[in-house]
Amino acid sequence: MAQLLINGVRHAVDLDPATPILWALRDTLGMTGTKFGCGAGLCGACTVHLEGEAVRSCSTSISDAKGKKITTIEAATASTTRIGAAVHAAWVRHDVAQCGYCQSGQIMSAIAFLKGLPRGTRPSPADIDAAMAGNICRCGTYARIRAAVADAARAIA
């Protein structure tokens, strides 16, 4: 029985330690905000934070997460987190989502990127593109994503 700390709550999951975090979240715990995309850690749809770092939950095992803090989209965009709330608000203002499937992963990557910036830093478009490069959007809303991340960076400066 593995103990996972997800969004500040301990969860016991009776799964093989090699099971990806994604399946513990979605299938065992019913937390469906984190999406399955490619299953190989290449598209970013399944991005969660592990100890504050953006990781692909489809290729990170629950044994790798043991004793570490996991944050999902459900908690990351709660109004209780300054950066998460700023990113969420910017996403809405810029009407980023088209089909929306990749958006939880995009938002999680944006939050991790902005948390890593020194306070007051305004990232360049190239900085944003580099930070978001591991997230694929089939609808091609990259310009809106870039604008939303820049807007969120200004809001938290």
Side-chain angles (χ1 to χ4, degrees):
M1 186 77 63
Q3 295 286 323
L4 298 175
L5 181 59
I6 304 167
N7 301 331
V9 177
R10 288 216 178 274
H11 296 272
V13 292
D14 189 15
L15 296 169
D16 182 313
T19 302
I21 296 169
L22 176 66
W23 301 124
L25 292 172
R26 291 184 61 82
D27 293 351
T28 304
L29 300 172
M31 301 175 82
T32 58
T34 303
K35 304 300 182 201
F36 172 76
C38 66
L42 303 172
C43 74
C46 68
T47 303
V48 298
H49 295 169
L50 187 61
E51 293 293 319
E53 297 293 321
V55 299
R56 305 305 188 238
S57 66
C58 73
S59 59
T60 304
S61 69
I62 60 173
S63 64
D64 291 336
K66 192 174 178 182
K68 297 178 182 173
K69 180 181 169 187
I70 300 167
T71 306
T72 68
I73 189 70
E74 288 88 352
T77 56
S79 60
T80 58
T81 63
R82 183 175 68 86
I83 294 174
V87 170
H88 185 241
W91 240 250
V92 172
R93 267 192 309 281
H94 290 273
D95 197 23
V96 173
Q98 191 164 322
C99 86
Y101 197 81
C102 70
Q103 295 308 298
S104 62
Q106 298 276 1
I107 289 170
M108 294 301 286
S109 290
I111 292 169
F113 168 61
L114 293 173
K115 280 185 176 180
L117 289 178
R119 193 170 183 113
T121 301
R122 295 214 177 152
S124 70
D127 293 335
I128 295 168
D129 290 346
M132 301 301 291
N135 293 81
I136 297 171
C137 174
R138 290 181 60 194
C139 301
T141 64
Y142 298 111
R144 289 186 282 190
I145 291 167
R146 186 183 311 113
V149 173
D151 188 16
R154 282 189 298 277
I156 63 172

